[in-house]
Amino acid sequence: MNPPVSKAREARLEFYRKKGKVHAKAVQGRFNGLRWAMVWLTQIVFYGACWLPWTTAAGRRQAILFDIVDEKLYLFDLVLWPQDALMLAFILILAATALFFTTAMAGRLFCGFACPQTVYTSIFVWIEGKVEGDHLARLRLDQSPMSARKLLIKSVKHGIWALVAAWTAITFVGYFTPIRELLPAIAGFQTGPWETFWLIFYATFTYLQAGLAREAVCQHMCPYSRFQGVMIDPDTANVSYDSRRGEPRGALRQSTNKGDCIDCGICVQVCPTGIDIRDGLQYQCINCGLCIDGCDEVMDRIGAPRGLIRFTSERELAGRPQAATARWRPRTLVYVGLLLVFTALGLWTLNERVLLRVEVHRDRGALMQESTAGRIENNYILKLINMEEAARHFRIGVSGLPGLRIEGTSEFMVGPGRVRTVTLTLSSPLEGMPSGVQPIVFETVALHDQSLAVREKSTFILPTH
Ligand code: SF4
Ligand code: SF4
C-alpha cells in the first residue's frame, strides 16, 4: 500500500503526469548515455550508409540500394532479386525472433533504445530543449498566452524540425533512388511522381510522429506495447520499482520508520512517457531506464544504495529465489534455437544460391510445325537471368529425345545483372519417335564456369500417330 501523499506533492507530480504533452526533465546517467549512443549509432548508419559508393565489375553504384525499377536489392556485393524472396523471409523471421528474444530477456528494450519513434523523438525533444529551454521553461512557454516572443521561438523550433524531417525523408528516398541523383532532381524540381509522394509523406510522417505525437505513439498507438504481455514472464528483467525497499515512501526528514523512496518525483519528471514507475509495470513504459538514472542520482545524494529502481524480474522483486539459470529458461532457449536455425538456413541458402536463373515458356502461338527438311519444330521463349554483376556468355543445350537439337545459335551473352529474353526453335526427327507430349530438359551453362549451370524441364510436342 502506498502512503498518502501531500496535496502539494501530488499536485507537483500531476504537473508531470499525463497532462497534455510530456516535458521530461533532462537526466544524466548510464542509461541516458546508452540511449544517446544508440541515437548516434543508428543515425550515423541511417544518414550515412546511402552515401557509400561500391565498385563492382559492372561499375560504380550505391552500396545499399533498393532498386524498385529493376526489382533488385543491392547490399554491398550481394544483389538480391525477386527470386531470392526466401532470403528476405529469413531476414524477417530472424528480426521477429530477435525481438521476441529481447522482450523475453529484458522487456521493451527495443522501444527504449532502438525504436525509430524513440530515436527521432529524442532528437526532436533535444532540438526543442535547445530552442525553448529546459523542461520547466518549455512548460511555462506552452502555458503562456501567445506573444511575439512565443511565436518567434515556436517558429524557429518548428522550422528546424521541418528541416530535420525533410532531410530524413530525402535520406529515406535515397535508399530507393540513388541519393547522388536524387539531390539534383529535388533541386531542379524533377523528381518522379512516386519520389515526390514519398518525400512529402515521409517528411510529414517524421514531423508529426516525432515532433507532435511523440510519447502519445508509445502510450496509445504502438501495437507492440499491447502484446508484449504475452512475451514476458516472471523472469523477464523489466525496469521496476522495489516497493519492498522503497515503501513507506516519504520526505527524508519525515520519520525514521520509512523506506528509501523520498517521494521526490524525479523518476516521474524524467520519464519520457510521463508515467510513475512506482505504480507498477505499465504498458506505456518503454524500458528506457531514465527513471533508474534519475533515482540513482537521488540515492547517491541521500547516501542510500543505488537500485531502488532497476532492471529486475517480478520473481526477484517478490523476494522469491531466482534460479541461476533463470535467464536461460525454456522460452529463451527456444528463441535462441530458432535464431541459430534460421541463421544457419539463411547462410546455407546464400551459399547454395546459383547466380543464374532460366525460365522456359513454350511459344503459345503454335504447338508445332513441320520444317522443309521434314523435322518437327517447337518454339520456346527463354528468359536468361544473369544475377552476377559481370557480363556472361551462356550455352544452351537440350536433351530428352534422340536427335533433338537447337536450330540456329545456342550461345548468348547477357549483360551484368540483366535479363535477356531469347527465342529458340527446337527440332526433332519424325521417324521412330514417340507421339504426343514428351518431356525434355534445357541445360544452360556459363562458358566461364561450368559449375554455373541450370536445368529446366519442359515438353516437346510430336504428332500423334
Ligand atoms: S526518484 Fe527514487 S526516491 Fe525519488 S520518487 Fe522516484 S523512486 Fe522515489
Ligand atoms: S517508467 Fe522509467 S523506464 Fe519506463 S518509460 Fe518511464 S523513464 Fe523509461
Side-chain angles (χ1 to χ4, degrees), residues 86-368:
L86 190 61
M87 292 288 305
L88 291 177
F90 281 136
I91 292 170
L92 289 179
I93 292 171
L94 274 174
T97 313
L99 185 66
F100 294 159
F101 173 69
T102 318
T103 310
M105 292 296 263
R108 288 175 73 182
L109 211 53
F110 169 77
C111 297
F113 295 89
C115 173
Q117 176 63 32
T118 310
V119 167
Y120 283 98
T121 299
S122 301
I123 295 170
F124 276 52
V125 169
W126 179 83
I127 293 167
E128 187 173 73
K130 290 292 165 202
V131 177
E132 295 186 357
D134 66 11
H135 65 298
L136 293 173
R138 302 202 298 269
L139 275 164
R140 276 195 296 273
L141 188 70
D142 276 5
Q143 288 163 3
S144 66
M146 185 51 77
S147 63
R149 179 182 166 273
K150 181 171 177 176
L151 187 65
L152 177 68
I153 292 175
K154 293 281 178 194
S155 304
V156 170
K157 178 185 80 174
H158 285 279
I160 300 174
W161 279 0
L163 286 177
V164 175
W167 191 249
T168 306
I170 291 170
T171 304
F172 175 75
V173 176
Y175 283 98
F176 297 88
T177 295
I179 193 136
R180 286 179 173 79
E181 294 168 22
L182 180 65
L183 283 184
I186 293 171
F189 298 99
Q190 287 172 335
T191 49
W194 80 263
E195 285 152 344
T196 308
F197 168 79
W198 281 107
L199 284 168
I200 295 171
F201 175 84
Y202 204 81
T204 311
F205 183 76
T206 306
Y207 177 83
L208 291 178
Q209 292 281 107
L212 305 185
R214 45 211 240 182
E215 70 279 349
V217 177
C218 310
Q219 290 169 338
H220 310 295
M221 301 179 210
C222 174
Y224 176 50
S225 67
R226 307 293 163 140
F227 65 77
Q228 60 162 333
V230 297
M231 291 188 267
I232 61 173
D233 57 33
D235 288 309
T236 301
N238 273 303
V239 174
S240 315
Y241 166 69
D242 187 346
S243 57
R244 293 197 313 147
R245 181 185 146 191
E247 302 298 330
R249 67 184 77 159
L252 199 52
R253 62 182 179 281
Q254 262 179 4
S255 75
T256 49
N257 219 359
K258 62 174 280 301
D260 279 351
C261 176
I262 61 168
D263 206 16
C264 60
I266 294 291
C267 50
V268 184
Q269 295 172 30
V270 300
C271 176
T273 62
I275 59 169
D276 187 343
I277 192 65
R278 295 171 302 169
D279 294 340
L281 191 61
Q282 294 147 75
Y283 70 84
Q284 297 97 332
C285 175
I286 56 172
N287 262 13
C288 65
L290 295 185
C291 52
I292 300 181
D293 284 343
C295 190
D296 279 351
E297 208 178 294
V298 175
M299 293 298 111
D300 289 348
R301 268 194 269 134
I302 65 170
R306 287 180 161 205
L308 177 57
I309 302 176
R310 60 183 183 275
F311 264 96
T312 188
S313 70
E314 197 186 313
R315 194 185 300 281
E316 194 254 308
L317 267 187
R320 295 200 297 271
Q322 194 167 23
T325 53
R327 271 186 196 287
W328 303 109
R329 51 202 189 275
R331 178 193 287 252
T332 51
L333 287 174
V334 166
Y335 291 145
V336 171
L338 287 175
L339 282 172
L340 291 175
V341 167
F342 283 111
T343 305
L345 277 174
L347 291 175
W348 180 78
T349 310
L350 195 60
N351 192 45
E352 293 296 303
R353 201 166 157 253
V354 178
L355 296 175
L356 166 65
R357 296 274 160 91
V358 178
E359 291 175 15
V360 179
H361 303 281
R362 290 187 52 83
D363 182 358
R364 291 171 196 273
L367 286 182
M368 61 179 160

